[in-house]
């Protein structure tokens, strides 16, 4: 049986942290499948506008941008409401914005802990809280949290990040149980390493924390954890996201889906 092409025409998606890396690639994949998209994230306004206009032109869908800071609950609620205000619906929410800081726990700056928990975990709560009533009223919706292999296992020097991503999986499971009878699903995607600006920053931070060269960190730390010895590709993440977004994904609920080259199998 040939796999049906995934068509999200007429749908509306929000991807937080989509001005860079994984979020931008996932927003683009959703637009390519026909969904309208609301972008979000930090960055240079002119560069963000250029990205927004390019995605809209390349795929012929409406693309908007909301500047919500993921540490500000009222701004997050307004971002979700933008979908209702401007498009009258919200089909997919992808809480993806994330930050990282790498340091031994005894030297971990408390303000970095607070920021990582706020951006990586609490922002997902605020976005989901605002999105669920819209999705329940539609009797259909998809929440796809961008967690991490670090939602399932730990690595040293990443206390806040690992705690935040484990928290995202707990949030995912709880919401999944609450929405299960309403046509809404809530899942978490758990990638291994994907080469984005966030990982490039970690290579430098890990080199400092471990007193190693950046090359050693890449070979012996980052890809040491990933049995395939290569980074996860954006196209591989997009395939999983689009499957979850489609009707084929309707019975996948409350799952933490590993896409990590076998990292968490070890
Ligand atoms: P990235 O640094 O390329 O992108 C992060 C995005 O989050 C950017 O758009 C940034 O502007 C946005 N952001 C950060 N703080 C924000 C704030 N306060 N308000 C609004 N937006 C904010 O990183 P990435 O690697 O693409 O990471 C995306 C997600 O994937 C993160 O949740 C990350 O933890 C997760 N992840 C990444 C990897 C990887 O290897 N790159 C692996 C597993 C999980």
């Amino acid at each position: 049986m040939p796999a049906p092409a995934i068509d999200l025409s007429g749908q509306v998606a929000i991807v937080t942290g989509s001005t860079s890396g994984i979020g931008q690639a996932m927003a683009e994949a959703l637009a390519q499948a026909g969904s309208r998209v609301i972008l979000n994230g930090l960055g240079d306004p002119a560069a963000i506008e250029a990205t927004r206009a390019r995605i809209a032109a390349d795929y012929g869908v409406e693309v908007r941008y909301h500047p919500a800071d993921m540490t500000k609950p009222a701004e997050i609620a307004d971002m979700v409401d933008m979908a209702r205000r401007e498009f009258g619906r919200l089909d997919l929410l992808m809480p993806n914005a994330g930050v990282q800081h790498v340091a031994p726990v005894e030297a971990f700056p408390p303000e970095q802990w607070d920021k990582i928990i706020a951006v990586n975990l609490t922002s997902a709560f605020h976005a989901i809280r605002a999105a669920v009533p819209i999705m329940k009223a539609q009797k259909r919706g998809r929440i796809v949290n961008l967690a991490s292999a670090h939602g399932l296992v730990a690595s040293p020097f990443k206390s806040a990040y690992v705690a935040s991503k484990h928290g995202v999986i707990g949030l995912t499971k709880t919401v999944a149980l609450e929405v299960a009878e309403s046509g809404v699903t809530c899942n978490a995607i758990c990638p291994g390493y994907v080469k984005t600006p966030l990982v490039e920053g970690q290579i430098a931070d890990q080199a400092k924390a471990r007193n190693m060269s950046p090359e050693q960190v890449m070979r012996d730390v980052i890809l040491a954890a990933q049995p395939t010895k290569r980074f996860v590709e954006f196209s591989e993440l997009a395939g999983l996201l689009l499957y979850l977004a489609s009707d084929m994904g309707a019975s996948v609920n409350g799952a933490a889906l590993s896409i990590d080259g076998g990292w968490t199998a070890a």
Side-chain angles (χ1 to χ4, degrees):
M1 191 173 81
I6 289 167
D7 179 6
L8 305 180
S9 303
Q11 297 199 6
V12 176
I14 296 175
V15 184
T16 76
S18 46
T19 53
S20 171
I22 294 172
Q24 188 175 316
M26 295 309 102
E28 196 153 343
L30 290 162
Q32 190 167 23
S35 179
R36 291 166 284 180
V37 180
I38 297 176
L39 301 173
N40 159 262
L42 310 176
D44 168 49
I48 293 170
E49 172 50 25
T51 301
R52 189 207 60 75
R54 179 185 59 74
I55 297 174
D58 281 357
Y59 304 111
V61 293
E62 284 181 79
V63 181
R64 306 276 164 86
Y65 166 72
H66 192 289
D69 178 334
M70 289 298 115
T71 63
K72 307 256 169 69
E75 294 183 18
I76 297 167
D78 188 69
M79 173 192 69
V80 172
D81 192 59
M82 185 187 196
R84 190 196 54 74
R85 282 195 310 270
E86 300 202 9
F87 297 122
R89 57 184 304 112
L90 176 61
D91 298 281
L92 184 136
L93 171 69
M94 185 170 204
N96 162 85
V99 287
Q100 173 66 287
H101 185 83
V102 178
V105 69
E106 67 273 28
F108 211 92
E111 60 280 10
Q112 284 292 346
W113 171 277
D114 289 345
K115 181 179 166 193
I116 290 170
I117 299 297
V119 175
N120 296 13
L121 174 58
T122 309
S123 76
F125 159 72
H126 289 295
I128 290 169
R129 184 174 181 274
V132 161
I134 302 173
M135 292 179 173
K136 273 188 174 171
Q138 290 168 182
K139 300 186 171 30
R140 192 188 187 286
R142 298 284 188 265
I143 299 164
V144 183
N145 291 311
L146 205 303
S148 168
H150 281 124
L152 299 165
V153 297
S155 296
F157 312 124
K158 296 185 178 178
S159 52
Y161 187 85
V162 169
S164 74
K165 295 298 186 180
H166 276 66
V168 166
I169 292 179
L171 175 65
T172 300
K173 291 177 180 176
T174 308
V175 174
L177 297 179
E178 294 182 22
V179 298
E181 289 187 70
S182 60
V184 181
T185 67
C186 182
N187 292 288
I189 292 182
C190 303
Y193 281 102
V194 188
K195 203 149 189 270
T196 67
L198 183 138
V199 167
E200 278 155 9
Q202 277 182 62
I203 293 169
D205 290 349
Q206 287 268 12
K208 205 166 140 201
R210 293 172 185 266
N211 198 19
M212 293 164 84
S213 72
E215 295 69 31
Q216 272 180 305
V217 168
M218 183 99 88
R219 190 186 61 239
D220 299 335
V221 180
I222 306 256
L223 291 177
Q226 206 143 290
T228 44
K229 300 294 172 210
R230 64 169 182 82
F231 288 99
V232 178
E233 300 289 335
F234 289 147
S235 60
E236 297 164 342
L237 293 172
L240 182 53
L241 171 64
L242 294 182
Y243 163 74
L244 290 173
S246 76
D247 289 340
M248 290 184 291
S251 288
V252 182
N253 190 30
L257 298 159
S258 292
I259 176 158
D260 64 6
W263 172 358
T264 52

